[in-house]
Amino acid sequence: MIEEQVKNYLRVHGFETLQLKAVLFDMDGVLFDSMPTHARAWAETSDHYHLGLTESEAYENEGRTAKSTLDVLFQRNKGRNATEKEVEEIYAYKIQIYNKYNIETIPMKGAAELMEKIRKDGFQIILVTGSGQDTLMARLQKYYPGVFTRDVMVTAKNVKTGKPHPEPYLRGLQLANTHPWEAIVVENAPLGVRSGVNANIFTVALNTGPMKDEKLLNEGANVLFHSMQEFCEKWDELKKDLQ
Ligand code: CA
């Protein structure tokens, strides 16, 4: 069902075959449904400071630094970058709002079932996240027991340069002991998709928010689904074209 996309991937990267051995998962917005809370916190912050951020922009900017996000908004509204003090104040406000709403972690619907299928099929599962939170391990163990151990995780603490640089996904390939043509990446944000594509890996995009599909496809995503549930339901068909 994705034969054409695979052919196109092989042509673009100059590889001969895609022989799936490992699936590299992003975490926020892929394994956990954290984007609605993140977007809501940005929306309220934007209202409070009159920044004019759209809901779609909140999704598009996932993984960008607060400074880089605020500079774009400040340039648009005031014709200048945000000062260090402004970034500090506004970002502190955003975190406060985020924590107010982030009462519990919500796993992404369909993700646990997909993990089960992938494990049964004998492929490796690797986590590649830009997060460096200390609570990360406990969250993963609670919702995905036994799937993510330290030796299959790349976090902010293991890389010098974060997404959209390819380093995080190149590290993921190392952990899995695989070549780029032996893995796929699952990502929800434009910067994450670019990181996977820059690492020469077949990249699956999940667009679960208000952002236009083009935002992810233009970064080079090879295939796109609108929910993890959809990806999970189609897995048995998809994997035939990936090996
Ligand atoms: Ca993400």
Side-chain angles (χ1 to χ4, degrees):
M1 82 192 286
I2 51 164
E3 219 183 324
E4 273 310 307
Q5 287 94 327
V6 171
K7 266 189 204 160
N8 190 45
Y9 161 80
L10 295 175
R11 190 167 52 235
V12 167
H13 295 277
F15 299 145
E16 277 175 19
T17 53
L18 207 168
Q19 289 279 339
L20 190 65
K21 289 184 181 166
V23 184
L24 279 48
F25 284 98
D26 170 45
M27 185 174 73
D28 287 308
V30 169
L31 299 182
F32 295 113
D33 199 4
S34 39
M35 280 310 291
T37 307
H38 173 74
R40 186 174 177 189
W42 266 118
E44 282 193 28
T45 305
S46 171
D47 283 349
H48 185 79
Y49 288 99
H50 311 290
L51 299 173
L53 175 89
T54 65
E55 203 195 345
S56 176
E57 278 177 320
Y59 278 77
E60 288 162 32
N61 289 331
E62 189 197 337
R64 220 175 266 292
T65 63
K67 161 99 178 117
S68 140
T69 300
L70 290 172
D71 279 347
V72 171
L73 300 173
F74 267 67
Q75 282 293 349
R76 197 162 68 199
N77 293 311
K78 304 176 200 281
R80 64 166 175 87
N81 282 349
T83 65
E84 219 169 279
K85 194 163 165 282
E86 284 165 335
V87 172
E88 203 178 304
E89 183 192 327
I90 298 171
Y91 192 51
Y93 186 90
K94 190 249 164 177
I95 289 174
Q96 194 192 329
I97 305 273
Y98 181 85
N99 289 337
K100 186 173 79 179
Y101 293 127
N102 190 33
I103 300 156
E104 59 168 337
T105 305
I106 304 165
M108 191 62 86
K109 201 164 168 275
E113 195 188 338
L114 178 63
M115 298 297 148
E116 200 51 46
K117 288 185 181 185
I118 293 173
R119 287 224 290 192
K120 246 187 220 150
D121 289 334
F123 304 122
Q124 297 182 74
I125 295 174
I126 306 279
L127 182 83
V128 180
T129 178
S131 173
Q133 285 177 18
D134 295 329
T135 53
L136 182 145
M137 208 61 214
R139 279 205 287 160
L140 288 165
Q141 282 313 320
K142 181 173 175 190
Y143 295 101
Y144 303 99
V147 179
F148 298 102
T149 46
R150 290 267 180 221
D151 55 331
V152 296
M153 284 169 52
V154 178
T155 74
K157 291 172 182 172
N158 308 119
V159 294
K160 281 202 198 84
T161 320
K163 303 169 189 179
H165 194 278
E167 186 186 346
Y169 281 111
L170 293 175
R171 292 238 165 213
L173 290 176
Q174 271 176 2
L175 286 188
N177 199 20
T178 52
H179 297 288
W181 61 87
E182 294 170 329
I184 59 170
V185 161
V186 187
E187 263 290 349
N188 72 310
L191 293 184
V193 167
R194 201 188 307 169
S195 174
V197 172
N198 283 344
N200 295 322
I201 307 169
F202 187 93
T203 301
V204 177
L206 297 182
N207 187 11
T208 58
M211 164 169 71
K212 286 204 170 75
D213 289 348
E214 283 69 33
K215 291 278 175 193
L216 295 164
L217 295 171
N218 290 344
E219 296 293 348
N222 298 97
V223 58
L224 183 144
F225 297 102
H226 290 104
S227 70
M228 183 58 112
Q229 191 72 50
E230 186 191 1
F231 182 34
C232 177
E233 280 162 14
K234 292 181 178 164
W235 173 255
D236 288 330
E237 278 298 308
L238 291 169
K239 72 178 184 199
K240 291 178 194 162
D241 292 327
L242 297 172
Q243 51 188 342

